[in-house]
Amino acid sequence: MARVRIKHFTCILGTALGLLLSTSLCPITYATELSPELSPVDLELVLAVDVSHSVDEYEANLQRSGYIEALKDPDVIDSIRSGPLGRIAVTYIEWAGEDHQIKVVEWSLLDSRQSAELFEKKLTQRPISSAPSTSISKMIDVASFEINHNDFIAPRSVIDISGDGPNSDGRHVQLARNDAINQGITINGLPVLSFRPNPDGLGAPSAWLGAYYLKNVIGGENAFLIEVLGFEAFSDILKEKLKREIKGTSEIALKTSKP
């Protein structure tokens, strides 16, 4: 449902430096008087999953099952419940080129094992899509729109992007990233280096993919990435990543998983 509303937060600093805004120094106030229909949560999280043609059927299934396992993991659920409100809002979107962004699961409230299982059930029942090209920039734009046009409001908004290649379609990814950061959105990365033959015959992804994400993709408050060596390691690394971003850790690091 399209509508105009305010989803940012306000604070008042009672000092002579009141014009210097700092999210770390001022309390968060929900703009409920302007948007009473919004449901407050601790985090709005977009799970953005690469399904471009460089991800073959085997890898796509490992990736999907990785999210299914991670979202029902007891430690991940504990992370969700550890916030001030004990609930987050999540949507799952598959992406490829500039014209392919499929919302597999709509925005959902996660606040318990039961709600996580319902999300996981919906994800299990939906087919995995696939399309050519890789437009990280368009996915960031779509995710930013989704964050600003859902039924939730939160002090933190995160786009969680997993992918196995650099931006090859659409506008420059740094432009999309900077626009998202300017809206107060954090972008975290899960670049995956697969050593299987590429279905398009283009060879394995470059070893510098993690550095590419670090320079061009991730950004915002407490942004981080974890590089995954092979889709077989995807599930375990994803659980670690979700726990960190749900809790809003201040750690900023480039981490590499073991093969």
Side-chain angles (χ1 to χ4, degrees):
M1 178 171 59
R3 59 184 178 274
V4 177
R5 79 262 181 87
I6 294 176
K7 288 196 65 177
H8 64 266
F9 305 93
T10 59
C11 65
I12 300 175
L13 299 180
T15 70
L17 299 178
L19 293 179
L20 298 177
L21 299 181
S22 172
T23 56
S24 62
L25 297 178
C26 62
I28 293 169
T29 303
Y30 289 101
T32 52
E33 69 279 10
L34 297 174
S35 305
E37 76 279 15
L38 300 180
S39 178
V41 292
D42 293 316
L43 170 69
E44 293 170 80
L45 176 62
V46 177
L47 301 176
V49 184
D50 183 5
V51 292
S52 60
H53 282 175
S54 59
V55 179
D56 64 26
E57 182 177 359
Y58 169 78
E59 294 169 337
N61 285 324
L62 283 175
Q63 192 171 224
R64 173 69 69 86
S65 63
Y67 279 98
I68 290 171
E69 291 300 316
L71 287 169
K72 65 181 182 182
D73 182 82
D75 290 338
V76 173
I77 295 173
D78 286 345
S79 297
I80 293 172
R81 295 179 60 82
S82 69
L85 298 176
R87 55 183 181 264
I88 67 173
V90 183
T91 185
Y92 186 102
I93 302 176
E94 293 179 342
W95 62 276
E98 192 171 22
D99 298 324
H100 188 91
Q101 295 83 36
I102 304 296
K103 193 190 298 185
V104 181
V105 181
E106 292 281 350
W107 283 99
S108 304
L109 180 70
L110 298 189
D111 60 356
S112 63
R113 179 176 59 84
Q114 290 76 15
S115 60
E117 288 177 349
L118 179 59
F119 190 97
E120 172 255 327
K121 182 178 180 181
K122 292 178 181 178
L123 192 53
T124 302
Q125 293 173 341
R126 308 289 164 80
I128 301 175
S129 62
S130 183
S133 300
T134 302
S135 185
I136 302 173
S137 56
K138 185 58 178 288
M139 183 61 247
I140 292 174
D141 289 339
V142 168
S144 298
F145 179 88
E146 285 290 329
I147 287 170
N148 287 302
H149 294 82
N150 61 51
D151 293 323
F152 300 94
I153 187 167
R156 295 190 298 119
S157 302
V158 173
I159 304 171
D160 179 333
I161 296 184
S162 62
D164 72 341
N167 198 74
S168 64
D169 193 19
R171 67 172 178 152
H172 197 289
V173 66
Q174 288 184 3
L175 298 177
R177 177 199 60 189
N178 294 344
D179 284 348
I181 292 173
N182 289 337
Q183 297 174 60
I185 297 171
T186 294
I187 305 170
N188 295 330
L190 198 64
V192 184
L193 275 64
S194 174
F195 301 97
R196 289 167 53 81
N198 191 302
D200 290 334
L202 300 177
S206 299
W208 45 259
L209 185 61
Y212 175 88
Y213 264 65
L214 190 66
K215 178 181 179 181
N216 299 284
V217 179
I218 73 168
E221 185 176 3
N222 296 336
F224 71 95
L225 67 81
I226 304 179
E227 191 175 69
V228 182
L229 301 182
F231 281 92
E232 290 80 4
F234 190 87
S235 180
D236 289 339
I237 300 303
L238 178 62
K239 292 175 185 177
E240 177 187 346
K241 183 171 185 286
L242 286 176
K243 288 185 289 184
R244 287 181 57 187
E245 61 195 356
I246 289 170
K247 290 181 177 180
T249 174
S250 61
E251 180 182 357
I252 302 174
L254 171 64
K255 281 195 171 183
T256 303
S257 68
K258 295 180 181 179

